[in-house]
């Protein structure tokens, strides 16, 4: 016997040994339970799931809460392209907890799970599985393979989520490839057209060479990347040269900086800032004497960089004069294209030119940059893009680059400039560069005709744009008709993204997705009005979106008649029997972004928006949160 101690109340505690053990056990007052000593989850969990199903647990909860105050947590659809993982498992478990708590506190909290079934990740996986046989398949055959793939994984994930204990309408989920869902997406699209927010334009967009399709901002990732930056002398050939000091045997030129040498074939102008002061720099090099135009504040910085990268190349430099950027513009200067001997280009104004990097003069290729594109529209420049969808140069490019891909072309362009003695500096820089979030490969800016949703154009009869309305909603709290963010820093995160986002590029060049319902006449003009889109939506609700690839335009349009559509200015130029269907599909974010309507409103979960809760990871501030 071992004495354990004597408390102040005089009661002693002893632990018995040997034969006294049973006597000690009998003195303990322990609860009784039917739970087994071993959890045995592998055996018990399926039995629990079966019992819930037999009892119709979710249905009974719905009946008990019928007529109670509603609480709607709207499910962001995971991608149907594989097994669930830690992220999707955590996501669904958190939603299951919220829905159960809300139901237990007396609210009517239904839960409708959904799956995102269209898009490149599924098509890419299917194409890789098919291998060489894929090239012989028609778009409809590819779509059938993709549909089977998405259907298989949506069902698999549904089983896996239910095994986690999540309950909801898993027997009636929402599936973005369902014809009724597709039709609802088109109804929202028709409303946007009716608001004059949808347009088609030749415009530079982020382009995935790997997947040969346009990308939206939400489909980009930024990674550090090493690239070659160069300083090049663009020889001046025309205009009022009196704006510069006398050359005295030096070659007058504009010193231009770029981190994308492969875009130089598409150069159409050099941009200067009208308000900056520019210096005329007499530079003696081992390959000639130059009179270089450069922003005055950057002279020392550029000279130091050339000296460090090419020791002995720059033998001396002197600033021999200065002038304003506006003086250069008033002189109507022109220069010889750096890669094409028979082409001259102008100097143009641009307020976005900065003095942080480079030379204060910006190489302008309207087919390869958003700001360059804006300059082209203001100055009447061509939107020229000599790069094909596979990332190779077409036959309008300089002969030595034709058929070469853009990354392969960088050293070739640099070598050509060096031989022409116009290369002043070549150096490697590390910078943040956009990549395709699926293929993880670097993207390029490439001008193509795409469909866009304008974010800064006022809605009909209103003074505010989509951006204005979204920003207003972000600024206001829940008590003022706005949004509550948990955690609170989410408000600033999404507001920053909304404030800087460009117009939404919604078109993709793939087979697996919801087609953008544009039809084209023989002249290539598109027919896509609110009425025509709603007519196509009615057909797709019955037949599914494969009908876009199998039916004739007259079948797709049903009773629609361009002559009776007030939105068609010249109905005679759109004979239905001669129309052809466009080949672009919607960005998948547009489909999931309209789920508030296609699910919550179409199913009668809510009569008006907003919905009570969206619960996703912070990556959805630039994805599903924003685009919804």
């Amino acid at each position: 016997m071992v004495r354990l101690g004597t408390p102040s109340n005089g009661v002693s505690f002893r632990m018995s040994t040997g034969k006294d053990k049973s006597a000690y056990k009998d003195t303990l007052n322990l609860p009784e339970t039917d739970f087994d000593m071993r959890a045995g989850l592998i055996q018990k969990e399926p039995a629990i799931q079966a019992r819930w199903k037999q009892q119709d647990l979710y249905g009974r909860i719905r009946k008990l809460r019928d007529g109670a105050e509603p609480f709607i947590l709207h499910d962001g659809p995971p991608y149907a392209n594989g097994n669930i993982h830690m992220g999707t498992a955590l996501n669904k478990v958190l939603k299951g907890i919220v829905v159960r708590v809300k139901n237990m506190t007396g609210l009517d909290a239904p839960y409708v799970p959904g799956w995102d079934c269209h898009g490149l990740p599924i098509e890419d996986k299917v194409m890789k599985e098919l291998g060489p046989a894929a090239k012989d398949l028609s778009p409809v055959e590819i779509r059938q393979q993709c549909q089977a793939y998405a259907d298989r994984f949506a069902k698999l994930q549904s089983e896996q989520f239910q095994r986690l204990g999540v309950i909801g309408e898993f027997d009636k989920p929402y599936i973005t490839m369902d014809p009724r869902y597709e039709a609802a997406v088109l109804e929202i699209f028709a409303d946007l057209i009716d608001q004059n927010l949808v347009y088609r334009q030749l415009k530079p967009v982020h382009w995935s060479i790997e997947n040969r399709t346009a990308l939206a901002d939400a489909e980009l990732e930024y990674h550090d990347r090493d690239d070659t930056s160069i300083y090049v002398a663009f020889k001046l050939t025309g205009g009022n040269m009196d704006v510069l000091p006398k050359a005295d045997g030096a070659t007058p030129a504009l010193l231009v900086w770029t981190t994308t040498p492969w875009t130089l074939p598409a150069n159409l102008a050099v941009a200067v800032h009208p308000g900056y002061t520019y210096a005329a720099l007499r530079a003696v090099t081992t390959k000639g004497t130059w009179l270089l135009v450069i922003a005055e504040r950057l002279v020392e910085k550029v000279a130091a960089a050339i000296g460090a990268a090419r020791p002995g190349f720059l033998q001396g430099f002197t600033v021999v004069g200065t002038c304003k950027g506006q003086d250069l513009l008033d002189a109507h200067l022109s220069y010889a294209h750096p890669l094409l001997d028979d082409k001259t280009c102008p100097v143009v104004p641009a307020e976005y030119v900065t003095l942080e990097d480079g030379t204060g003069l910006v190489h302008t290729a309207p087919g390869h940059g958003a700001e360059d594109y804006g300059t082209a529209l203001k100055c009447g420049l061509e939107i020229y893009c000599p790069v094909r969808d596979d990332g190779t140069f077409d036959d309008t490019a300089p002969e030595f680059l034709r058929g070469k891909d853009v990354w392969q072309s960088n050293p070739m362009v640099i070598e050509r400039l060096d031989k022409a003695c116009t290369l002043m500096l070549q150096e490697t820089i590390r910078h943040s560069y956009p990549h395709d979030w699926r293929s993880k490969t670097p993207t390029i800016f490439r001008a193509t005709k795409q469909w866009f949703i304008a974010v800064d154009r006022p809605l009909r009869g209103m003074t505010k744009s989509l951006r204005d309305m979204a920003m207003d909603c972000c600024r206001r709290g829940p008590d003022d008709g706005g949004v509550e963010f948990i955690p609170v820093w989410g408000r600033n995160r999404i507001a920053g993204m909304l404030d800087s986002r460009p117009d939404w590029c919604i078109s993709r060049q793939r087979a697996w997705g919801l087609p953008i319902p544009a039809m084209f006449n023989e002249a290539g003009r598109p027919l896509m009005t609110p009425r025509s889109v709603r007519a196509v939506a009615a057909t797709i609700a019955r037949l599914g979106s494969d009908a876009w690839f199998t039916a004739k335009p007259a079948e797709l349009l049903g009773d629609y008649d361009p002559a009776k559509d007030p939105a068609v200015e010249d109905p005679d130029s759109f004979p239905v029997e001669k129309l052809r269907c466009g080949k672009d599909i919607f960005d998948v974010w547009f489909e999931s972004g309209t789920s508030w309507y296609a699910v919550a409103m179409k199913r009668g979960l809510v009569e008006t928006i907003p919905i009570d809760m969206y619960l996703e990871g912070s990556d959805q501030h630039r994805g599903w949160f924003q685009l919804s």
Side-chain angles (χ1 to χ4, degrees):
M1 183 180 295
V2 179
R3 184 173 295 278
L4 297 179
T6 304
S8 58
N9 60 9
V11 179
S12 63
F13 292 84
R14 295 179 300 172
M15 182 167 63
S16 299
T17 61
K19 295 179 180 179
D20 294 332
K21 274 185 178 179
S22 59
Y24 179 69
K25 182 184 69 174
D26 293 340
T27 67
L28 299 178
N29 185 19
L30 296 174
E32 294 184 1
T33 177
D34 293 332
F35 287 148
D36 293 336
M37 291 295 291
R38 296 174 62 87
L41 285 177
I42 294 177
Q43 293 78 32
K44 286 186 176 179
E45 186 192 41
I48 293 171
Q49 299 288 338
R51 186 169 72 250
W52 286 355
K53 190 172 184 179
Q54 182 183 13
Q55 293 175 342
D56 186 21
L57 178 61
Y58 179 77
R60 290 170 67 186
I61 293 173
R62 295 275 57 73
K63 288 178 182 177
L64 286 170
R65 293 292 174 259
D66 187 30
E69 180 185 347
F71 178 91
I72 306 301
L73 185 155
H74 180 42
D75 187 34
Y79 226 85
N81 69 335
N83 290 293
I84 66 172
H85 50 73
M86 284 299 291
T88 46
L90 174 63
N91 180 288
K92 280 294 185 292
V93 168
L94 288 175
K95 290 173 181 175
I97 292 171
V98 171
V99 170
R100 285 174 185 265
V101 168
K102 294 299 181 182
N103 277 308
M104 292 169 72
T105 54
L107 299 176
D108 182 12
Y111 180 59
V112 181
W115 276 271
D116 209 347
C117 297
H118 284 144
L120 181 58
I122 292 171
E123 184 175 344
D124 185 55
K125 184 71 174 178
V126 167
M127 297 296 276
K128 286 178 179 176
E129 288 184 356
L130 290 170
K135 69 179 187 301
D136 299 322
L137 297 182
S138 68
V140 172
E141 290 172 322
I142 293 172
R143 288 171 61 84
Q144 289 170 347
Q145 295 277 349
C146 292
Q147 182 175 357
Y149 182 94
D151 184 62
R152 173 161 59 97
F153 278 106
K155 289 176 179 175
L156 176 62
Q157 289 186 9
S158 175
E159 294 173 3
Q160 293 171 334
F161 287 140
Q162 291 178 74
R163 289 293 299 272
L164 294 172
V166 181
I167 60 173
E169 295 185 21
F170 283 96
D171 57 335
K172 294 183 293 183
Y174 77 88
I175 304 290
T176 61
M177 61 183 177
D178 179 88
R180 291 166 299 178
Y181 188 101
E182 294 176 324
V185 173
L186 293 181
E187 289 177 33
I188 292 296
F189 187 55
D191 290 344
L192 289 165
I193 296 173
D194 200 25
Q195 293 288 347
N196 194 32
L197 299 178
V198 179
Y199 67 95
R200 184 172 185 256
Q201 197 163 323
L202 176 65
K203 191 174 183 181
V205 295
H206 288 285
W207 184 267
S208 171
I209 297 174
E210 178 75 14
N211 292 304
R212 300 193 188 185
T213 186
L215 300 174
D217 273 23
E219 297 172 300
L220 300 175
E221 293 178 345
Y222 286 83
H223 303 289
D224 285 345
R225 170 184 165 89
D226 290 334
D227 275 317
T228 302
S229 77
I230 58 174
Y231 291 76
V232 185
F234 287 14
K235 296 179 182 178
L236 288 167
T237 58
N240 183 7
M241 294 293 187
D242 290 342
V243 72
L244 302 175
K246 295 299 180 183
D248 294 331
T251 303
L254 306 170
L255 187 61
V256 175
W257 175 70
T258 181
T259 59
T260 52
W262 65 266
T263 62
L264 285 177
N267 173 268
L268 295 183
V270 167
V272 303
H273 194 295
Y276 290 166
T277 299
Y278 288 85
L281 180 71
R282 184 177 177 84
V284 180
T285 74
T286 57
K287 292 190 176 182
T289 301
W290 297 85
L291 187 67
L292 300 174
V293 177
I294 181 175
E296 184 181 37
R297 277 177 46 187
L298 295 171
V299 169
E300 295 292 337
K301 183 178 179 180
V302 171
I306 295 175
R310 303 183 72 177
F313 174 75
L314 184 60
Q315 299 180 331
F317 66 94
T318 308
V319 174
V320 294
T322 61
C323 67
K324 285 291 186 182
Q326 187 60 52
D327 297 330
L328 299 175
L329 296 168
D330 292 341
H332 302 291
L333 297 176
S334 61
Y335 61 90
H337 191 282
L339 297 173
L340 299 168
D341 295 334
D342 58 348
K343 185 174 184 178
T344 59
C345 304
V347 176
V348 296
E351 297 287 339
Y352 54 78
V353 176
T354 72
L355 299 177
E356 294 177 7
D357 295 300
T359 64
L361 298 100
V362 175
H363 145 59
T364 301
H368 294 300
E371 291 176 328
D372 307 45
Y373 170 79
T375 295
L377 294 183
K378 292 178 182 177
C379 300
L381 303 175
E382 178 188 2
I383 312 301
Y384 170 56
C385 174
V387 177
R388 294 181 285 223
D389 62 0
D390 63 353
T392 62
F393 282 98
D394 63 23
D395 290 342
T396 66
E399 189 171 353
F400 75 99
L401 293 175
R402 293 172 189 173
K404 305 295 190 301
D405 71 59
V406 294
W407 312 121
Q408 179 186 9
S409 300
N410 265 343
M412 300 175 69
V413 168
I414 293 170
E415 182 183 5
R416 182 61 62 103
L417 295 171
D418 197 30
K419 286 183 178 179
C421 299
T422 57
L423 182 68
M424 297 289 126
L425 172 62
Q426 170 187 348
E427 61 182 351
T428 300
I429 63 166
R430 169 155 288 200
H431 59 162
S432 181
Y433 193 87
H435 287 63
D436 181 344
W437 74 329
R438 297 180 180 105
S439 65
K440 310 302 180 185
T441 54
T443 64
I444 62 171
F445 258 113
R446 176 174 177 265
T448 59
K449 281 195 172 181
Q450 302 290 341
W451 291 101
F452 296 88
I453 293 177
V455 298
D456 290 314
R457 187 182 296 175
L459 280 69
R460 290 191 188 278
M462 298 178 63
T463 59
K464 290 189 175 182
S465 65
L466 289 179
R467 191 196 307 275
D468 294 333
M469 294 163 67
M471 291 297 290
D472 285 350
C473 196
C474 266
R475 294 187 187 103
R476 297 195 304 268
D479 296 332
D480 192 26
V483 179
E484 179 181 7
F485 288 88
I486 305 169
V488 293
W489 52 255
R491 184 183 307 279
N492 290 335
R493 178 174 169 80
I494 197 170
M497 294 173 177
L498 285 168
D499 187 50
S500 60
R501 67 159 296 134
D503 284 355
W504 185 1
C505 177
I506 58 169
S507 47
R508 299 291 179 272
Q509 291 67 51
R510 305 298 299 187
W512 179 231
L514 177 61
I516 293 178
M519 298 181 182
F520 295 84
N521 65 9
E522 292 179 304
R525 289 173 56 202
L527 171 69
M528 193 168 69
T529 70
R531 287 191 182 184
S532 73
V533 170
R534 292 188 179 106
V536 172
T539 302
I540 284 180
R542 291 185 295 106
L543 305 177
S545 57
D546 279 357
W548 185 259
F549 300 89
T550 59
K552 295 180 179 179
E555 297 174 72
L556 291 164
L557 291 169
D559 295 332
Y560 171 80
D561 183 355
K564 298 178 181 178
D565 188 345
V568 180
E569 295 181 0
D570 184 14
D572 291 339
S573 63
F574 292 99
V576 173
E577 66 278 2
K578 293 185 178 180
L579 294 176
R580 61 176 177 84
C581 293
K583 296 182 179 180
D584 290 340
I585 63 169
F586 278 100
D587 172 12
V588 291
W589 289 110
F590 188 87
E591 295 184 54
S592 60
T594 54
S595 59
W596 56 269
Y597 175 74
V599 181
M601 297 194 77
K602 278 289 192 176
R603 289 198 179 203
L605 300 179
V606 296
E607 294 183 2
T608 60
I609 53 173
I611 288 157
D612 293 289
M613 178 179 280
Y614 276 39
L615 196 165
E616 306 296 333
S618 64
D619 58 327
Q620 297 308 324
H621 286 93
R622 67 192 295 261
W624 192 58
F625 291 163
Q626 182 181 149
L627 301 176
S628 292

